Amino acid sequence: TQRPSWVITPSVSVTGTYTDNVNLDASQKSDFVTVLTPGITLNGRSARASADVNYQLGYNKYARNSDLDEQRRSLVANGKLELVDNWLFIEASQNVAQTTTSVFGTQSVGNVQANSNRSETSGYSISPYIQGRLAGAADYELRFTGRKARSDGGTLAGGADTTRSWTGRLDGVSTMFPLLGWSLSAADGVASQGTGLDTRFRSLAGRLSYRIDPQVRVFVSTGRETDNFLDAADDQTRSTHRAGVEWAPTERTQVALTKGQGAIGDVYNYNFSHRTALSAWTFSHSRSAAVPLLGLSRAQAGTNYDLTYAA
């Protein structure tokens, strides 16, 4: 039978856990915790839309300490809609998760113990964009992204952090020299934590690449960046440049090395990946400047599933 385009799957689980330290403190109170977790999953694909949603509502019932009873939410949702055929798209995502408020506070594994150092953090993003081919010579994309994140504890409590950014890109697809590639990219955005000192960033860069042989490609890039990473009250503008090499000695092995100058001086990015018949290996080492708020509204990546899929 053919799988339907849209599938809704309900679920429910019940677990019981005994702990000899339910409060994670010196009192060492024991308790038995019953965890009821109903959930629903939506997976769908159609000609112009796609969505993946996983929502769970957990409820903890404590046998001896009913004042600790609590409920919590978990959500990972991603969707995409094609508004104009092959030109205008919109992507959206939302996630809700239990996170550790402070790395210096009490740590716990799972959500069974009553831990005041745990917060519910939520974030969402929406990103409309256009893409296409310009005069048969370059692929273009122009994208706006808005993100917002909030938490019921820690530095994000009591307000929402937002980011708004524009990005544009041109990628050459046909030149007189088939081994030569080029691209232009630009970005402009602001990240706000509600303190009045926003993080601002703008950049413009061009890149040239040349494929020496089917396994090796070298590239150089240059541009200008303006931001207030080093001094929140004053923008700094600087020239940037980078150079690197990408090497694929086999179909299962890839090496990429990049080095240059950025907002914090020397920047670099080293990546290595290799697959065997039963395993996948990755190594990366980098130094760069980034806007922390950009990651708060995204679901975490790097799961065991990702490693299994890579293998």
Side-chain angles (χ1 to χ4, degrees):
T1 60
Q2 184 178 3
R3 178 182 172 87
S5 300
W6 295 84
V7 179
I8 299 177
T9 307
S11 63
V12 63
S13 68
V14 181
T15 61
T17 302
Y18 171 80
T19 174
D20 62 359
N21 192 351
V22 68
N23 289 311
L24 294 174
D25 58 20
S27 65
Q28 295 189 349
K29 294 181 179 179
S30 62
D31 209 333
F32 186 85
V33 188
T34 302
V35 182
L36 174 66
T37 310
I40 188 169
T41 300
L42 167 67
N43 301 106
R45 300 288 185 276
S46 64
R48 289 182 175 268
S50 64
D52 294 287
V53 180
N54 187 348
Y55 177 78
Q56 292 181 332
L57 179 64
Y59 178 72
N60 288 10
K61 177 63 180 177
Y62 294 82
R64 297 182 178 179
N65 300 272
S66 59
D67 57 312
L68 299 179
D69 293 354
E70 64 172 355
Q71 68 178 28
R72 61 188 182 280
R73 301 177 298 160
S74 173
L75 172 66
V76 177
N78 297 280
K80 181 177 179 179
L81 182 63
E82 184 176 358
L83 300 176
V84 178
D85 187 31
N86 264 344
W87 187 69
L88 176 59
F89 303 82
I90 185 170
E91 295 177 344
S93 66
Q94 184 174 7
N95 68 287
V96 180
Q98 303 294 312
T99 60
T100 300
T101 304
S102 171
V103 296
F104 302 106
T106 304
Q107 307 296 305
S108 60
V109 178
N111 299 309
V112 173
Q113 276 98 355
N115 188 356
S116 60
N117 192 39
R118 188 175 67 234
S119 305
E120 182 178 276
T121 302
S122 62
Y124 70 87
S125 69
I126 186 167
S127 181
Y129 65 97
I130 59 174
Q131 67 179 25
R133 179 156 294 183
L134 186 64
D139 291 331
Y140 67 86
E141 179 182 286
L142 179 63
R143 178 187 293 262
F144 171 80
T145 302
R147 298 188 177 97
K148 180 174 288 189
R150 66 172 66 246
S151 178
D152 60 9
T155 57
L156 299 184
D161 290 352
T162 61
T163 62
R164 300 175 301 278
S165 63
W166 288 91
T167 58
R169 187 173 181 87
L170 281 175
D171 289 301
V173 294
S174 66
T175 67
M176 297 177 58
F177 307 99
L179 300 180
L180 184 67
W182 64 271
S183 66
L184 294 173
S185 61
D188 182 279
V190 59
S192 174
Q193 289 183 290
T195 61
L197 295 176
D198 297 341
T199 300
R200 301 176 296 275
F201 51 96
R202 295 189 300 274
S203 66
L204 177 65
R207 168 172 159 150
L208 285 176
S209 65
Y210 186 77
R211 188 173 294 279
I212 299 175
D213 62 38
Q215 284 77 39
V216 181
R217 181 171 62 177
V218 295
F219 63 87
V220 295
S221 67
T222 185
R224 292 184 68 82
E225 294 179 350
T226 300
D227 55 58
N228 63 341
F229 293 163
L230 301 179
D231 184 355
D234 186 31
D235 291 351
Q236 299 90 39
T237 300
R238 68 190 68 83
S239 298
T240 63
H241 60 271
R242 290 173 174 83
V245 58
E246 297 172 351
W247 179 37
T250 71
E251 293 183 353
R252 297 187 174 202
T253 307
Q254 292 185 337
V255 179
L257 309 175
T258 304
K259 186 173 177 59
Q261 289 287 320
I264 56 174
D266 290 338
V267 295
Y268 50 80
N269 189 19
Y270 307 143
N271 289 286
F272 168 82
S273 64
H274 177 68
R275 292 182 294 116
T276 68
L278 298 176
S279 66
W281 301 81
T282 62
F283 171 81
S284 64
H285 181 54
S286 64
R287 183 176 191 262
S288 62
V291 182
L293 299 183
L294 295 179
L296 292 175
S297 60
R298 301 174 181 170
Q300 295 297 315
T303 64
N304 291 334
Y305 171 80
D306 297 325
L307 292 176
T308 304
Y309 181 81

